[in-house]
Structure formats: C-alpha cells, structure tokens
Amino acid sequence: MNIVEKDEMSVIGITVARDWQGLIRDMPVKWEEFKSRLTEINQRKTDIMMDISLEKLEHTYTQCICVEVEQDAEAPEGLEKMVISSASYLHHKHEGSLVSIAQTFGEMYQYGKEHELALEEMKIDIGYTIQGTETSHDLYIKINGIA
C-alpha cells in the first residue's frame, strides 16, 4: 500500500443514493444500465469504468458508476458529469475476484488505522470492463487533511 496524489478528473456516470439494502439491490441494475450507455459518452479517456463511493451520510450511501472523460466532455441526457478534486489517497492494487474487493478495502482501512492516516469514506475502485473479465482493480481511499 502506498500514498499517491491523484490529479483532478472529470467523470460522467450514474449516481445512486440509497441505504445499504437499497444499494445492494439497485447497484447491479444501474451497472447494466451504465454499461449499455457507455458508447453514448463522447470524449472518454478510456473504457475502463469505476465505482466511486462519494459519501455516507447517516444511513445513505452515495455511489457513482462512471468513466473518466476529457474536461470539456458533455454528459448525455440522464447521465451526470462531476469533477473529482485532486487529493491524496491510500492506493492498493487488488488482485482477484470482485467479491473480495470489500475485504481489500477493509484491509486498507486497517492499514490506515495502524499508520495513523485519517481515511475518509470516499473510495475509488477503477478496473471494471464491459466484459467483466478484469483480474485487477486499482483501489483508492481519500486521506483527510493531506492536500
């Protein structure tokens, strides 16, 4: 695990805000919808998709299924564009199955605790493909207080 600086990036995608049970139910549906609309997004930097955990307020989790785009890209109707500010992140390359990504994030939070890093709720998981055959993901957790 290492601390990295991620530059500001523009993304276009679908935002989902639900309680935990709603998230579990709705995310697979939203993933399929996003994958089917990927080609509508012009000025994609890549076709590798990401899942960003934007925040957790009380019992509501806000996720964004998205792809990185050029700064001046326009969001197709029904999708939204947002800018993720530059920040410091704890980074780890996850190798293995999708189902163990949550466990890897847990290990990253434990590492942060042991190394006195103020890790936030914001997480970025980059590595999803249309085919779903990916074997690794780049995982990031935002560090509070490090610009």
Side-chain angles (χ1 to χ4, degrees):
M1 292 190 208
N2 57 326
I3 295 173
V4 299
E5 299 294 318
K6 275 192 76 48
D7 292 333
E8 175 180 284
M9 68 176 167
S10 296
V11 299
I12 292 178
I14 296 173
T15 302
V16 181
R18 305 278 188 277
D19 65 9
W20 184 247
Q21 289 303 319
L23 210 58
I24 292 170
R25 181 186 64 243
D26 293 351
M27 284 297 283
V29 174
K30 294 299 183 182
W31 263 109
E32 290 308 310
E33 177 185 338
F34 183 72
K35 286 178 182 180
S36 73
R37 298 198 60 197
L38 183 64
T39 57
E40 294 176 39
I41 302 169
N42 296 321
Q43 295 181 282
R44 295 185 305 279
K45 286 193 171 182
T46 176
D47 284 343
I48 302 296
M49 297 167 286
M50 62 186 95
D51 182 354
I52 303 177
S53 299
L54 294 168
E55 64 184 3
K56 177 187 171 200
L57 294 174
E58 298 192 15
H59 300 292
T60 302
Y61 298 83
T62 304
Q63 301 286 122
C64 181
I65 300 166
C66 56
V67 66
E68 187 175 3
V69 296
E70 298 295 337
Q71 191 174 1
D72 60 346
E74 303 253 339
E77 190 173 331
L79 299 178
E80 68 180 283
K81 180 179 179 182
M82 63 181 64
V83 175
I84 306 300
S85 300
S86 61
S88 295
Y89 290 86
L90 179 62
H91 169 257
H92 181 70
K93 188 169 231 22
H94 171 83
E95 304 284 348
S97 73
L98 291 179
V99 293
S100 61
I101 286 176
Q103 178 182 340
T104 300
F105 271 126
E107 292 165 4
M108 292 172 73
Y109 277 109
Q110 184 61 36
Y111 176 92
K113 189 175 179 182
E114 291 167 4
H115 292 82
E116 299 180 0
L117 298 173
L119 299 180
E120 296 188 7
E121 289 288 332
M122 182 179 186
K123 300 182 289 295
I124 303 174
D125 172 2
I126 303 173
Y128 295 91
T129 63
I130 288 283
Q131 301 81 11
T133 55
E134 66 273 5
T135 57
S136 70
H137 284 239
D138 283 298
L139 306 181
Y140 300 88
I141 302 175
K142 188 174 181 184
I143 303 172
N144 187 6
I146 301 180

